[in-house]
PDB file of all heavy atoms in Angstrom:
ATOM      1  N   PRO A 204     -18.554 -19.111  24.794  1.00 92.00           N
ATOM      2  CA  PRO A 204     -17.592 -19.622  25.786  1.00 92.00           C
ATOM      3  C   PRO A 204     -17.280 -18.636  26.907  1.00 92.00           C
ATOM      4  O   PRO A 204     -17.122 -19.046  28.065  1.00 92.00           O
ATOM      5  CB  PRO A 204     -16.334 -19.960  24.968  1.00 92.00           C
ATOM      6  CG  PRO A 204     -16.626 -19.616  23.558  1.00 92.00           C
ATOM      7  CD  PRO A 204     -18.075 -19.310  23.420  1.00 92.00           C
ATOM      8  N   LEU A 207     -20.153 -18.821  29.268  1.00 95.00           N
ATOM      9  CA  LEU A 207     -20.159 -20.108  29.973  1.00 95.00           C
ATOM     10  C   LEU A 207     -19.118 -20.122  31.094  1.00 95.00           C
ATOM     11  O   LEU A 207     -19.360 -20.660  32.172  1.00 95.00           O
ATOM     12  CB  LEU A 207     -19.871 -21.259  29.000  1.00 95.00           C
ATOM     13  CG  LEU A 207     -20.906 -21.484  27.897  1.00 95.00           C
ATOM     14  CD1 LEU A 207     -20.477 -22.653  27.011  1.00 95.00           C
ATOM     15  CD2 LEU A 207     -22.298 -21.733  28.462  1.00 95.00           C
ATOM     16  N   ASP A 234      -7.642 -23.301  32.752  1.00 78.00           N
ATOM     17  CA  ASP A 234      -7.754 -23.022  31.319  1.00 78.00           C
ATOM     18  C   ASP A 234      -9.180 -22.622  30.964  1.00 78.00           C
ATOM     19  O   ASP A 234      -9.417 -21.638  30.269  1.00 78.00           O
ATOM     20  CB  ASP A 234      -7.385 -24.271  30.505  1.00 78.00           C
ATOM     21  CG  ASP A 234      -5.889 -24.505  30.476  1.00 78.00           C
ATOM     22  OD1 ASP A 234      -5.135 -23.581  30.841  1.00 78.00           O
ATOM     23  OD2 ASP A 234      -5.477 -25.609  30.099  1.00 78.00           O
ATOM     24  N   PHE A 235     -10.113 -23.436  31.448  1.00 78.00           N
ATOM     25  CA  PHE A 235     -11.523 -23.228  31.116  1.00 78.00           C
ATOM     26  C   PHE A 235     -12.004 -21.864  31.569  1.00 78.00           C
ATOM     27  O   PHE A 235     -12.771 -21.198  30.890  1.00 78.00           O
ATOM     28  CB  PHE A 235     -12.344 -24.325  31.796  1.00 78.00           C
ATOM     29  CG  PHE A 235     -13.817 -24.259  31.526  1.00 78.00           C
ATOM     30  CD1 PHE A 235     -14.388 -25.056  30.533  1.00 78.00           C
ATOM     31  CD2 PHE A 235     -14.655 -23.436  32.256  1.00 78.00           C
ATOM     32  CE1 PHE A 235     -15.749 -25.024  30.288  1.00 78.00           C
ATOM     33  CE2 PHE A 235     -16.013 -23.389  32.015  1.00 78.00           C
ATOM     34  CZ  PHE A 235     -16.568 -24.185  31.028  1.00 78.00           C
ATOM     35  N   ILE A 238     -10.948 -17.080  30.745  1.00 81.00           N
ATOM     36  CA  ILE A 238     -11.687 -16.000  30.102  1.00 81.00           C
ATOM     37  C   ILE A 238     -12.717 -15.364  31.028  1.00 81.00           C
ATOM     38  O   ILE A 238     -13.245 -14.302  30.721  1.00 81.00           O
ATOM     39  CB  ILE A 238     -12.328 -16.439  28.762  1.00 81.00           C
ATOM     40  CG1 ILE A 238     -13.134 -17.728  28.915  1.00 81.00           C
ATOM     41  CG2 ILE A 238     -11.238 -16.642  27.735  1.00 81.00           C
ATOM     42  CD1 ILE A 238     -13.716 -18.231  27.591  1.00 81.00           C
TER      43      ILE A 238
ATOM     44  N   ALA B 219     -16.821 -28.329  28.186  1.00 92.00           N
ATOM     45  CA  ALA B 219     -15.937 -28.080  27.040  1.00 92.00           C
ATOM     46  C   ALA B 219     -16.210 -29.088  25.927  1.00 92.00           C
ATOM     47  O   ALA B 219     -16.314 -28.718  24.748  1.00 92.00           O
ATOM     48  CB  ALA B 219     -14.478 -28.137  27.478  1.00 92.00           C
ATOM     49  N   LEU B 222     -19.427 -28.016  24.195  1.00 92.00           N
ATOM     50  CA  LEU B 222     -19.331 -26.861  23.299  1.00 92.00           C
ATOM     51  C   LEU B 222     -18.711 -27.257  21.966  1.00 92.00           C
ATOM     52  O   LEU B 222     -19.233 -26.924  20.895  1.00 92.00           O
ATOM     53  CB  LEU B 222     -18.505 -25.740  23.932  1.00 92.00           C
ATOM     54  CG  LEU B 222     -18.337 -24.521  23.020  1.00 92.00           C
ATOM     55  CD1 LEU B 222     -19.666 -23.822  22.767  1.00 92.00           C
ATOM     56  CD2 LEU B 222     -17.325 -23.532  23.584  1.00 92.00           C
ATOM     57  N   GLY B 242      -9.406 -17.227  23.556  1.00 74.00           N
ATOM     58  CA  GLY B 242     -10.425 -17.554  24.541  1.00 74.00           C
ATOM     59  C   GLY B 242     -11.004 -18.939  24.310  1.00 74.00           C
ATOM     60  O   GLY B 242     -11.102 -19.746  25.222  1.00 74.00           O
ATOM     61  N   PHE B 243     -11.356 -19.211  23.080  1.00 79.00           N
ATOM     62  CA  PHE B 243     -11.919 -20.516  22.755  1.00 79.00           C
ATOM     63  C   PHE B 243     -10.885 -21.613  22.965  1.00 79.00           C
ATOM     64  O   PHE B 243     -11.196 -22.684  23.474  1.00 79.00           O
ATOM     65  CB  PHE B 243     -12.399 -20.523  21.308  1.00 79.00           C
ATOM     66  CG  PHE B 243     -13.017 -21.835  20.901  1.00 79.00           C
ATOM     67  CD1 PHE B 243     -14.339 -22.105  21.191  1.00 79.00           C
ATOM     68  CD2 PHE B 243     -12.257 -22.799  20.262  1.00 79.00           C
ATOM     69  CE1 PHE B 243     -14.908 -23.322  20.827  1.00 79.00           C
ATOM     70  CE2 PHE B 243     -12.814 -24.015  19.902  1.00 79.00           C
ATOM     71  CZ  PHE B 243     -14.135 -24.273  20.175  1.00 79.00           C
ATOM     72  N   ARG B 244      -9.658 -21.340  22.579  1.00 78.00           N
ATOM     73  CA  ARG B 244      -8.614 -22.354  22.737  1.00 78.00           C
ATOM     74  C   ARG B 244      -8.439 -22.729  24.199  1.00 78.00           C
ATOM     75  O   ARG B 244      -8.370 -23.903  24.541  1.00 78.00           O
ATOM     76  CB  ARG B 244      -7.283 -21.847  22.180  1.00 78.00           C
ATOM     77  CG  ARG B 244      -7.145 -22.057  20.684  1.00 78.00           C
ATOM     78  CD  ARG B 244      -5.678 -22.059  20.278  1.00 78.00           C
ATOM     79  NE  ARG B 244      -5.027 -20.807  20.607  1.00 78.00           N
ATOM     80  CZ  ARG B 244      -5.165 -19.686  19.892  1.00 78.00           C
ATOM     81  NH1 ARG B 244      -5.931 -19.651  18.837  1.00 78.00           N
ATOM     82  NH2 ARG B 244      -4.522 -18.600  20.255  1.00 78.00           N
ATOM     83  N   ASP B 245      -8.359 -21.717  25.064  1.00 78.00           N
ATOM     84  CA  ASP B 245      -8.206 -21.995  26.494  1.00 78.00           C
ATOM     85  C   ASP B 245      -9.393 -22.786  27.016  1.00 78.00           C
ATOM     86  O   ASP B 245      -9.248 -23.784  27.701  1.00 78.00           O
ATOM     87  CB  ASP B 245      -8.124 -20.673  27.284  1.00 78.00           C
ATOM     88  CG  ASP B 245      -6.767 -20.012  27.120  1.00 78.00           C
ATOM     89  OD1 ASP B 245      -5.838 -20.680  26.643  1.00 78.00           O
ATOM     90  OD2 ASP B 245      -6.657 -18.825  27.469  1.00 78.00           O
ATOM     91  N   PHE B 246     -10.586 -22.293  26.667  1.00 78.00           N
ATOM     92  CA  PHE B 246     -11.814 -22.897  27.169  1.00 78.00           C
ATOM     93  C   PHE B 246     -11.914 -24.354  26.752  1.00 78.00           C
ATOM     94  O   PHE B 246     -12.367 -25.201  27.513  1.00 78.00           O
ATOM     95  CB  PHE B 246     -13.000 -22.110  26.601  1.00 78.00           C
ATOM     96  CG  PHE B 246     -14.354 -22.596  27.053  1.00 78.00           C
ATOM     97  CD1 PHE B 246     -14.982 -21.983  28.122  1.00 78.00           C
ATOM     98  CD2 PHE B 246     -14.988 -23.650  26.404  1.00 78.00           C
ATOM     99  CE1 PHE B 246     -16.242 -22.416  28.534  1.00 78.00           C
ATOM    100  CE2 PHE B 246     -16.239 -24.080  26.818  1.00 78.00           C
ATOM    101  CZ  PHE B 246     -16.868 -23.468  27.883  1.00 78.00           C
ATOM    102  N   SER B 247     -11.530 -24.624  25.520  1.00 80.00           N
ATOM    103  CA  SER B 247     -11.802 -25.947  24.958  1.00 80.00           C
ATOM    104  C   SER B 247     -10.616 -26.898  25.046  1.00 80.00           C
ATOM    105  O   SER B 247     -10.723 -28.039  24.621  1.00 80.00           O
ATOM    106  CB  SER B 247     -12.227 -25.802  23.491  1.00 80.00           C
ATOM    107  OG  SER B 247     -11.144 -25.338  22.714  1.00 80.00           O
ATOM    108  N   ARG B 248      -9.493 -26.422  25.606  1.00 80.00           N
ATOM    109  CA  ARG B 248      -8.313 -27.281  25.639  1.00 80.00           C
ATOM    110  C   ARG B 248      -8.652 -28.629  26.277  1.00 80.00           C
ATOM    111  O   ARG B 248      -8.241 -29.681  25.803  1.00 80.00           O
ATOM    112  CB  ARG B 248      -7.160 -26.600  26.395  1.00 80.00           C
ATOM    113  CG  ARG B 248      -5.874 -27.429  26.394  1.00 80.00           C
ATOM    114  CD  ARG B 248      -4.658 -26.600  26.774  1.00 80.00           C
ATOM    115  NE  ARG B 248      -4.467 -25.533  25.804  1.00 80.00           N
ATOM    116  CZ  ARG B 248      -4.448 -24.240  26.084  1.00 80.00           C
ATOM    117  NH1 ARG B 248      -4.565 -23.840  27.324  1.00 80.00           N
ATOM    118  NH2 ARG B 248      -4.302 -23.337  25.132  1.00 80.00           N
TER     119      ARG B 248
END
Side-chain angles (χ1 to χ4, degrees):
Chain A
L207 296 180
D234 284 346
F235 181 98
I238 51 183
Chain B
L222 178 66
F243 181 83
R244 276 202 300 282
D245 285 346
F246 181 96
S247 67
R248 183 163 298 121

